[in-house]
Amino acid sequence: MTAVRPLADATADVPDTYQHDLVSRIKPPSRRRRPVTRPADLVTVIGPTLSVANVIMQLSNPKVGYGVHESRVPRGNAIKRPTKRARTTGTFLAVALMGSDEDKAYIHEFVGRVHDQVYSTETSPVRYSANDSRLQLWVAVCLLKYFIDQYELIYGPLTEAEKQMVLTEAHPLGTALNVPRDKWPATYDELLVYWNSQLAELRIDEPVRQELRNLADLSFLEFRAGVVGTVAHKTLGGFLTYAINAGLPPEFRAMMGWTWTEDDARRYQSILAAMRVVDPVVAPLLRGIFRLNIVDLRVRRRLGIPVF
């Protein structure tokens, strides 16, 4: 069931399609984790399982999707360079949420240089530029959803005050790219209006969809890691696809051609219950990795080692 939210400046209620549709079914634990005081507090044990789902959301904007699919920067491709892509994405997220102003300025400059190389050609199905602030706003809003979803699926809905704090302080997810500060949603209502306005423009064409499926079920590893990759695909691919499917809103599942049943939802509820037990131990370790990403960035800069 999708939550319905009354907008402050509207006479009618609108569906809160930004909130994961399973959150309304979550029974918050009797002892809630400490209050959220900064966006980094949203990191939980299920974050890694939601990462590819969030990539799917980002690439459902066809200009972003084809920008990644046709990119002439292979070192940033999750399929061609999965380890490096994981490191650089982690560095960006860590800096956006926990880094200094100097760290953010560095990321802004160098991500911009990489994105300068990603633009459409005469044969591209759509026109795009990776430095288009409108596309980057979409990506940044998806990234914010990645953090909110992983917290709310474990601990239930954020309070109104927590949502506003997270939204306000997470603006570097956009401004560390190329999004002007005044284009970042000022309130959750504005965020919801923006999100709903984008849904009708989204689609995943077959070339992008196939690449995303290969990423989801690890089949791309068959070409990258031989027998080991084939074993990973055969043994883990099915469950990972299920977990990624679980992290998607219904609209995006449909775009991927995936189904979701009540049995799937009940199974996922059981998984979330187990994750809720281990989260107090694992989540601090994950936030520690974010801090290590920032240390890695600073060491690389000092030693002249490329970050991206």
Side-chain angles (χ1 to χ4, degrees):
M1 177 183 293
T2 300
V4 175
R5 178 184 180 86
L7 289 187
D9 58 352
T11 57
D13 292 345
V14 298
D16 185 352
T17 52
Y18 192 71
Q19 184 180 78
H20 194 290
D21 61 303
L22 293 180
V23 171
S24 61
R25 303 185 184 189
I26 300 298
K27 182 180 179 181
S30 56
R31 185 175 181 180
R32 192 172 186 252
R33 201 172 83 178
R34 62 187 176 84
V36 174
T37 60
R38 57 178 182 164
D41 292 336
L42 298 174
V43 174
T44 72
V45 66
I46 64 167
T49 70
L50 297 181
S51 57
V52 176
N54 201 261
V55 170
I56 291 172
M57 293 181 218
Q58 296 171 37
L59 270 60
S60 66
N61 180 311
K63 295 184 178 182
V64 177
Y66 277 107
V68 172
H69 178 67
E70 297 182 336
S71 174
R72 295 177 290 279
V73 188
R75 64 182 183 274
N77 188 291
I79 288 180
K80 296 178 181 177
R81 300 288 297 276
T83 302
K84 182 172 183 179
R85 179 64 181 184
R87 176 182 63 78
T88 56
T89 299
T91 297
F92 173 80
L93 295 176
V95 168
L97 297 190
M98 304 170 68
S100 67
D101 290 342
E102 182 181 353
D103 295 329
K104 292 170 186 173
Y106 178 85
I107 289 291
H108 175 82
E109 178 183 356
F110 278 84
V111 170
R113 290 183 188 179
V114 173
H115 285 173
D116 281 341
Q117 305 171 63
V118 181
Y119 51 86
S120 57
T121 66
E122 292 182 356
T123 60
S124 299
V126 295
R127 313 305 295 172
Y128 61 83
S129 166
N131 269 328
D132 186 334
S133 62
R134 294 167 297 181
L135 303 185
Q136 292 183 348
L137 176 59
W138 169 253
V139 169
V141 165
C142 287
L143 289 173
L144 175 59
K145 180 172 170 58
Y146 163 70
F147 288 102
I148 291 176
D149 281 355
Q150 62 180 288
Y151 182 91
E152 292 194 326
L153 284 169
I154 294 290
Y155 293 103
L158 293 165
T159 66
E160 293 297 315
E162 287 172 335
K163 284 181 180 178
Q164 186 58 49
M165 178 279 298
V166 166
L167 176 61
T168 300
E169 294 194 13
H171 72 84
L173 291 170
T175 56
L177 294 171
N178 205 33
V179 180
R181 181 68 178 86
D182 62 358
K183 296 299 183 182
W184 186 252
T187 66
Y188 190 82
D189 285 352
E190 287 185 18
L191 175 66
L192 185 55
V193 168
Y194 169 77
W195 181 262
N196 286 335
S197 73
Q198 297 299 299
L199 291 180
E201 307 298 322
L202 305 179
R203 72 172 194 269
I204 302 177
D205 291 346
E206 186 55 34
V208 178
R209 183 184 299 112
Q210 189 56 54
E211 193 163 335
L212 289 170
R213 286 174 176 165
N214 291 343
L215 184 63
D217 67 6
L218 301 181
S219 57
F220 75 95
L221 289 177
E222 294 186 290
F223 305 99
R224 306 296 302 174
V227 174
V228 174
T230 298
V231 171
H233 164 56
K234 298 296 185 182
T235 58
L236 300 176
F239 176 76
L240 286 178
T241 299
Y242 165 80
I244 291 163
N245 192 13
L248 288 173
E251 301 89 345
F252 298 84
R253 292 180 188 132
M255 283 184 256
M256 286 297 294
W258 290 340
T259 58
W260 185 256
T261 67
E262 281 297 317
D263 286 342
D264 290 327
R266 283 190 290 270
R267 179 186 175 195
Y268 194 53
Q269 291 275 23
S270 299
I271 293 172
L272 291 175
M275 294 298 99
R276 202 168 288 126
V277 173
V278 301
D279 182 70
V281 175
V282 177
L285 299 178
L286 295 176
R287 291 195 293 274
I289 292 174
F290 269 20
R291 296 186 186 93
L292 289 177
N293 282 332
I294 295 175
V295 172
D296 177 69
L297 166 72
R298 293 171 181 171
V299 170
R300 284 172 179 270
R301 290 186 62 190
R302 182 168 297 178
L303 298 179
I305 301 173
V307 177
F308 294 99

